[in-house]
Amino acid sequence: MEMETEEDALFEDADFAAVDSALFADYTTPLSRLVGQVTWLRPQHICKHPQLFPDNLTDAYPKQGILGDCWLLCACTMLLKSHHLLAKVMPPGQSVWGESGYRGEFQFRFWRNGHWVEVQVDDRLPCINNTPCFSRCHSPTAFWVALLEKAYAKLHGSYENLWAGQVCEAMVDLSGAMAERWSLKRATDTPAGKSLFPKLSGAMRKRSYISCCVHSTPAVTPELGQFHALSVMEWTDVKTSDGQEVQLLRIWNPWGRMCWGGAWTKSRAGWSSLDPSCSMELLGRTQEGEFWVDEKEFQLEFDELTVGYPVSDVGHLQSIYTGSFLTHTQQIRGRWVKGHSAGGCRNNSSYSSNPKFWLRVEEGGEVLLSVLQCGPWRAQRSCSQQPLGGSSSSQQHPHYQAIALHLWKVEKKRFNLMRTLNSTPCASSRTHAYEREIVVHTHLTAGFYLLVPSTFLQGAEGKFLLRVHSTCPTRLSEVKVSVQQECVGGEWETVSLCGSWIAGSTAGGGRNFSSHKQNPRVPFTVTYDPGGTNTIVTLRQHSPENSLHAIGFHIYKVPDGKVDSMVISSAVCPVVSCVPHSHSQEVSVQCRLPPAVYTILPSTYEPDHSAEYTVTVARRIHRRVMSSQERLGQVVQEISHVSVMGL
């Protein structure tokens, strides 16, 4: 009987096999030149004593291979600054080479669309001439980077799908937090005469995860080429011999070599302006692939900053603006559906049909909101091949929609939706942008806020995750408005009112009960009757699905227009009724009403059943044009997509 060898017992991942399909997606990058040259080896066949992490932290830093994924490696340095994040992404206690439990399999976790997902891979790595050809550690015997890269490639479908991407996206995937991108070329982001990091306090400069990138070839280093991402490892203030203050930044290049020729590289003029002991100390901090630049040179040569929010040991985001911990977290999913809830930007009369959400802020505080597109889970190379500027067609992103988020403060009991949406938002993203996630940072006082995520184009479809992190208690919920397709794109006005049935007070029950008149009243006025349906009323109860009440409503015409003085009795007949009462989350009716004043009595079937509800009235109106001229933001810039990195 043939005995099974130890090598035969090792795990081989059938879902991400060691074949060309794991390497290549569409053969459109320089990676396609590797066809037929790659072999797959386990770490024990690459070196004698493989290990997951080296003893020296410096040796654990990534080193880019011939795959253009510097954006991922810059995010990986974040894990080396945060042990609890590293343990989240790569669970500790896994058996490694030389241990009795070793089976050649490793587990990783990545944050995806609102939750952590597990990815299992074997440890067969793509090699050329018995050496890993993609990312690795500075120590040739450490393999945590190569294995994480393989798991991330599996999540994206192939290694080639990692060719070009955004550092901010990888930061979010490895932390579950948020990241922001700041342009260094726009005066609005970096005001003249102010600090390079005007939004970051000194403490947060040390705690935040910061990357920088070039979109064009730097004048001081032609070798660096275009679209490359690097990491800011440190910045410090020093004084020159003549008393001038200079801010210096230590930059790390994923290539593992310096590739810089500025005034503060070794033996250059900048160091002669400092005290020799200071120069020696700062130069002694640089590791392989690191170099120093001053603030002026940095702003001149680099195009963009990416700043990742720190995460505490218990999972709370820390504000990069104030340093406060955002201890309250809410998230909710939504989608834009063509013909129903894809209303486009505020230039469109259909804007009000976009998904809408309530944010209740219990007390004032700092609030961070974001809209994350739950699109294809892969790097987006195609956009990088489109030139900036030019026709609108060149601004289209192949996978993401241009998205934005606006929010308005409203009264708790009643508000006019169209009037609100025509007013100036209390906070918003600046423009619609072709990005996976847009972030809005603000401070809000206590109260109710209406949140409207939107795409720039009307009818653009997609799923999204709305996230809220705050220093104060908040409650996030969806505003359910059941308006049929007939309404979308037409001239309609929608008004929502939140209320409650209170036992012994406003829970009067149906018309069969004498207490029916005690139910809350929701007045509205019909001013336009073009023929056909001109009014849609929806009642939604906010009760758990396992304890729904039977709900319905009646619409009464108010003879003299005075709602408060109107007497409702069994002798007064409603003009429209939504009955029989139904044990459902939401009931709705469409009708045609002549111009007049009306009132709605929402009710549970039986009296004294307490619950909260929302009544939404959609009315046909004369056409109103939004007083807004939304503009489309620039197409997203891709990182490290032009040349093969690390050759």
Side-chain angles (χ1 to χ4, degrees):
M1 183 175 178
E2 187 175 347
M3 298 293 292
E4 184 183 65
T5 66
E6 181 180 348
E7 190 67 26
D8 291 334
L10 295 181
F11 172 67
E12 294 186 358
D13 184 7
D15 295 328
F16 199 60
V19 294
D20 280 358
S21 62
L23 296 173
F24 310 111
D26 49 20
Y27 300 89
T28 58
T29 72
L31 205 63
S32 61
R33 293 181 294 187
L34 300 183
V35 173
Q37 300 183 43
V38 174
T39 57
W40 297 78
L41 300 175
R42 296 186 189 269
Q44 63 267 39
H45 300 145
I46 298 172
C47 64
K48 285 186 177 181
H49 303 290
Q51 55 185 160
L52 212 52
F53 285 94
D55 297 330
N56 187 337
L57 181 62
T58 302
D59 291 336
Y61 272 81
K63 188 172 184 179
Q64 190 176 351
I66 57 178
L67 178 63
D69 62 349
C70 55
W71 59 284
L72 170 62
L73 303 187
C74 286
C76 283
T77 62
M78 169 181 67
L79 301 181
L80 295 176
K81 293 178 65 175
S82 176
H83 294 298
H84 70 277
L85 281 184
L86 180 61
K88 188 76 174 179
V89 173
M90 190 165 58
Q94 302 188 55
S95 296
V96 297
W97 312 275
E99 295 182 354
S100 59
Y102 166 71
R103 290 191 61 249
E105 63 178 328
F106 290 87
Q107 302 285 342
F108 291 87
R109 288 190 291 241
F110 301 103
W111 190 88
R112 180 181 183 184
N113 297 341
H115 62 275
W116 290 90
V117 296
E118 290 192 358
V119 178
Q120 179 187 49
V121 293
D122 62 37
D123 59 355
R124 294 177 294 175
L125 300 173
C127 298
I128 294 179
N129 297 326
N130 298 326
T131 301
C133 55
F134 299 145
S135 301
R136 51 196 182 273
C137 293
H138 276 275
S139 168
T141 63
F143 289 91
W144 80 273
V145 170
L147 291 170
L148 184 148
E149 182 186 55
K150 181 174 184 178
Y152 202 59
K154 179 180 179 179
L155 191 66
H156 285 71
S158 71
Y159 278 95
E160 192 174 29
N161 281 338
L162 300 187
W163 193 288
Q166 289 291 342
V167 178
C168 59
E169 295 183 11
M171 283 183 173
V172 173
D173 297 342
L174 297 180
S175 67
M178 293 184 188
E180 295 193 39
R181 295 167 60 199
W182 297 340
S183 170
L184 295 176
K185 302 306 182 187
R186 288 200 296 263
T188 54
D189 280 348
T190 311
K194 292 189 177 182
S195 168
L196 177 63
F197 300 96
K199 304 175 184 179
L200 290 174
S201 66
M204 293 315 298
R205 295 177 193 177
K206 295 179 180 179
R207 287 192 52 81
S208 303
Y209 315 119
I210 299 182
S211 175
C212 54
C213 70
V214 291
H215 295 163
S216 56
T217 303
V220 299
T221 311
E223 180 189 358
L224 200 58
Q226 296 177 307
F227 299 97
H228 186 50
L230 306 93
S231 288
V232 178
M233 308 303 292
E234 178 190 0
W235 49 90
T236 185
D237 294 319
V238 297
K239 280 191 177 182
T240 63
S241 54
D242 58 3
Q244 292 185 344
E245 289 190 357
V246 178
Q247 186 180 64
L248 294 180
L249 298 94
R250 179 162 55 92
I251 310 297
W252 170 76
N253 183 359
W255 289 352
R257 57 183 189 272
M258 188 167 60
C259 292
W260 199 260
W264 295 90
T265 49
K266 216 168 208 181
S267 304
R268 291 298 181 99
W271 298 107
S272 61
S273 65
L274 302 181
D275 182 270
S277 61
C278 178
S279 298
M280 185 176 300
E281 180 188 355
L282 294 178
L283 285 170
R285 296 181 195 172
T286 57
Q287 306 295 331
E288 185 180 5
E290 293 183 344
F291 56 91
W292 292 91
V293 298
D294 61 33
E295 179 178 349
K296 182 178 179 181
E297 181 182 353
F298 184 89
Q299 187 158 4
L300 180 66
E301 299 294 346
F302 289 90
D303 295 280
E304 189 177 85
L305 281 179
T306 297
V307 184
Y309 282 74
V311 183
S312 70
D313 292 353
V314 293
H316 295 146
L317 270 64
Q318 187 174 12
S319 170
I320 59 176
Y321 298 94
T322 65
S324 300
F325 285 100
L326 308 173
T327 55
H328 300 270
T329 302
Q330 302 273 314
Q331 67 179 35
I332 193 170
R333 300 181 187 279
R335 63 186 305 175
W336 297 287
V337 180
K338 186 176 182 179
H340 177 64
S341 60
C345 68
R346 296 176 71 220
N347 297 342
N348 302 308
S349 61
S350 58
Y351 177 76
S352 61
S353 67
N354 280 303
K356 293 172 281 293
F357 299 88
W358 285 117
L359 178 66
R360 181 175 180 176
V361 179
E362 304 289 351
E363 57 191 52
E366 185 177 3
V367 180
L368 188 68
L369 309 101
S370 79
V371 178
L372 171 72
Q373 298 191 67
C374 303
W377 192 247
R378 53 161 294 168
Q380 314 297 341
R381 293 192 312 277
S382 304
C383 178
S384 61
Q385 297 163 4
Q386 298 284 353
L388 290 176
S391 66
S392 60
S393 61
S394 69
Q395 299 292 307
Q396 300 290 323
H397 194 283
H399 298 286
Y400 295 150
Q401 302 291 348
I403 60 173
L405 176 65
H406 295 77
L407 56 152
W408 291 264
K409 188 171 186 180
V410 297
E411 295 299 325
K412 177 181 178 181
K413 296 235 172 161
R414 189 180 182 189
F415 74 99
N416 183 298
L417 179 63
M418 294 301 291
R419 190 177 302 136
T420 298
L421 297 182
N422 272 299
S423 65
T424 302
C426 64
S428 70
S429 52
R430 288 177 300 182
T431 60
H432 284 74
Y434 286 109
E435 300 206 28
R436 189 178 77 172
E437 185 172 30
I438 51 101
V439 178
V440 176
H441 173 263
T442 186
H443 287 78
L444 299 178
T445 56
F448 280 84
Y449 293 84
L450 178 69
L451 278 54
V452 183
S454 62
T455 60
F456 183 76
L457 296 177
Q458 181 182 0
E461 296 194 313
K463 298 178 181 179
F464 63 85
L465 180 72
L466 177 62
R467 297 201 278 166
V468 179
H469 295 268
S470 59
T471 58
C472 52
T474 59
R475 290 170 56 187
L476 182 65
S477 60
E478 185 177 5
V479 177
K480 288 289 186 180
V481 181
S482 182
V483 180
Q484 302 301 317
Q485 184 170 343
E486 176 189 356
C487 306
V488 180
E491 299 84 24
W492 287 77
E493 180 179 69
T494 304
V495 177
S496 295
L497 171 71
C498 293
S500 58
W501 295 293
I502 302 173
S505 176
T506 59
R511 291 187 73 227
N512 295 344
F513 301 93
S514 60
S515 57
H516 174 69
K517 60 187 177 184
Q518 298 175 6
N519 283 297
R521 301 185 183 189
V522 181
F524 69 98
T525 304
V526 174
T527 59
Y528 184 50
D529 179 17
T533 299
N534 67 345
T535 305
I536 301 175
V537 177
T538 303
L539 171 64
R540 180 178 179 82
Q541 61 176 310
H542 305 298
S543 302
E545 291 188 4
N546 58 357
S547 58
L548 294 174
H549 301 295
I551 61 170
F553 58 85
H554 300 277
I555 302 176
Y556 296 88
K557 185 177 179 179
V558 182
D560 57 0
K562 297 180 180 179
V563 178
D564 293 337
S565 60
M566 179 183 177
V567 177
I568 295 178
S569 65
S570 58
V572 179
C573 295
V575 294
V576 175
S577 296
C578 185
V579 291
H581 287 66
S582 173
H583 286 88
S584 47
Q585 200 88 53
E586 184 176 280
V587 294
S588 181
V589 69
Q590 301 184 36
C591 57
R592 179 183 179 184
L593 297 175
V597 177
Y598 299 87
T599 187
I600 306 166
L601 263 69
S603 66
T604 59
Y605 177 71
E606 294 184 1
D608 295 330
H609 282 180
S610 298
E612 294 183 349
Y613 63 82
T614 298
V615 172
T616 301
V617 181
R619 298 169 298 161
R620 194 88 175 183
I621 60 170
H622 290 285
R623 178 175 177 81
R624 292 186 181 182
V625 178
M626 289 283 184
S627 56
S628 173
Q629 290 297 319
E630 295 280 345
R631 294 187 177 183
L632 188 61
Q634 273 195 326
V635 67
V636 66
Q637 297 252 16
E638 298 297 329
I639 308 303
S640 69
H641 68 286
V642 174
S643 59
V644 178
M645 302 300 173
L647 287 178

